[in-house]
Amino acid sequence: MTRTARELAEALKLQLEGDGSVEVHGVASPERAGPHDLIYAESEKQAGRVAASAALCVVASNEVRLAGRTILRCANPRAAFARAAAILVERALIAAGIHPTAIIAATAQVGRGVAVGPHAVIGENARIGQNTQIGAHCVIGAGSWIGEECRLHPRVTLYERVRLGNRVEIHAGTVIGADGFGYAYDGERYWKFPQIGLVEIGDDAEIGANATIDRGALDDTRIADGVKLDNLVHVGHSVEIGAHTVIAAQTGISGSSVLGHHVVVGGQVGIGDHCTLEDGAIAGGGAGILTGKTIRSGQTVWGTPARPLEKFKEQYAWFARLPELGKRVRALEAKLGGK
């Protein structure tokens, strides 16, 4: 996917400095880059790495001063670099054509350019949008809909009636649409509560490897456009996740919780059932958000139980001093006891 520096600047609306005819073939770190790889620098601290690199073209912020390079100037070099990578880097094929071992139900609708890998199964009345790639050993349940240009890596399982938007990417081993963990106790035993809702995932979402997203109980589980889930994230039944929210690995979200748009959730966060994280809220890694709690818009919380970051830092500082304070208390007790 070769482009000139000028073509990249025009496509990404960046300010060009230097030779616009320099060809760019790919992206790399400064240390690994060849002359025709694009690199980036966010601050003056990285100028030394850029100067030592073989790369001729760099995405850089206004504060970075570089000599002998073609520069694409912008306020957010990391984001611009990622956008450039989407143009320059051709993604590896997951599947090509329809493999002879794939099983496709007679009532399934498969769009133009769809590729299906070895031993994949597409169930009755499923719909697959054009140019979607489905990897080896995937299972697409009956009545599921997959949009256009989606990428399902090997061993992804969609239970029946799952809905995926366009350009959704799902990594290996993920299971979407299993029954949620819902039971009703009658005093003697647990009865399975109905799990009859759907899972709906919007456009441009990406789901990491070995994630699990349960179907809704009576309502649906909904994941909006642009959501990014890391590996090993669990989403319980009837959860709603707003647009462009990001959730790091090993986080668990209990049933009927609602996350707004542009929420950030760190790794190993536990979110109890019926919680609300309003738009722009941030939950730091390892936080525990108790059942029914609301995290307000723009608030950052940490710790278990989750509390505002400033309060957490104050309390943690005192916690770190407990051994010292304990010694002082014992010394006072000994002194008082001797009287």
Side-chain angles (χ1 to χ4, degrees):
M1 293 289 187
T2 299
R3 296 288 189 274
T4 65
R6 179 173 289 105
E7 288 172 337
L8 285 176
E10 291 173 354
L12 302 175
K13 295 181 172 55
L14 307 178
Q15 179 183 345
L16 175 65
E17 296 179 10
D19 184 2
S21 67
V22 168
E23 290 189 346
V24 182
H25 302 167
V27 298
S29 66
E31 291 77 14
R32 298 186 64 177
H36 296 289
D37 286 321
L38 183 69
I39 62 175
Y40 76 99
E42 294 184 279
S43 68
E44 190 65 31
K45 291 188 297 184
Q46 297 171 309
R49 295 177 64 203
V50 173
S53 176
L56 299 175
C57 187
V58 54
V59 182
S61 62
N62 293 328
E63 69 180 84
V64 181
R65 295 290 170 255
L66 301 167
R69 297 289 195 280
T70 295
I71 303 173
L72 304 178
R73 293 283 186 194
C74 62
N76 189 341
R78 181 178 172 85
F81 181 81
R83 292 164 57 210
I87 296 172
L88 295 168
V89 179
E90 188 171 2
R91 309 182 78 182
L93 286 176
I94 295 173
I98 307 294
H99 195 274
T101 62
I103 299 173
I104 301 176
T107 57
Q109 300 178 33
V110 178
R112 178 172 52 84
V114 168
V116 183
H119 302 288
V121 178
I122 299 177
E124 299 288 344
N125 298 307
R127 301 181 187 179
I128 315 297
Q130 65 182 13
N131 298 321
T132 283
Q133 299 178 44
I134 297 174
H137 296 276
C138 286
V139 176
I140 312 302
S144 289
W145 298 354
I146 300 176
E148 299 178 359
E149 299 181 4
C150 293
R151 291 166 54 87
L152 276 63
H153 291 266
R155 297 188 183 279
V156 167
T157 298
L158 306 186
Y159 278 56
E160 69 279 1
R161 299 181 299 118
V162 169
R163 306 285 189 262
L164 304 185
N166 300 318
R167 300 174 302 279
V168 174
E169 182 152 14
I170 304 177
H171 290 274
T174 284
V175 178
I176 301 177
D179 286 354
F181 191 70
Y183 299 89
Y185 188 61
D186 68 359
E188 295 182 0
R189 57 163 290 183
Y190 285 95
W191 294 86
K192 187 178 182 68
F193 195 81
Q195 305 293 310
I196 57 176
L198 307 178
V199 176
E200 297 181 351
I201 298 178
D203 296 344
D204 301 301
E206 184 165 1
I207 313 298
N210 293 315
T212 52
I213 302 172
D214 290 344
R215 68 175 56 255
L218 303 179
D219 298 315
D220 298 334
T221 300
R222 295 188 176 96
I223 296 177
D225 296 349
V227 169
K228 313 299 182 187
L229 305 186
D230 198 357
N231 303 334
L232 298 168
V233 168
H234 174 67
V235 178
H237 58 224
S238 304
V239 165
E240 297 184 17
I241 301 177
H244 306 292
T245 285
V246 293
I247 302 175
Q250 297 184 332
T251 285
I253 306 173
S254 299
S256 300
S257 288
V258 177
L259 282 65
H261 66 75
H262 292 90
V263 171
V264 176
V265 180
Q268 295 186 325
V269 171
I271 300 176
D273 59 279
H274 295 85
C275 289
T276 299
L277 279 69
E278 295 180 347
D279 300 342
I282 299 173
I289 302 173
L290 304 184
T291 294
K293 186 172 178 61
T294 296
I295 307 301
R296 296 301 179 189
S297 180
Q299 189 176 37
T300 298
V301 298
W302 220 281
T304 301
R307 49 210 183 270
L309 179 59
E310 291 305 315
K311 181 177 288 188
F312 170 81
K313 290 193 292 187
E314 179 186 6
Q315 293 173 344
Y316 198 80
W318 282 105
F319 178 79
R321 293 184 62 189
L322 284 178
E324 171 199 343
L325 294 173
K327 289 180 182 178
R328 292 170 63 181
V329 168
R330 285 194 294 270
L332 286 170
E333 290 176 337
K335 183 176 180 180
L336 291 173
K339 290 184 177 181

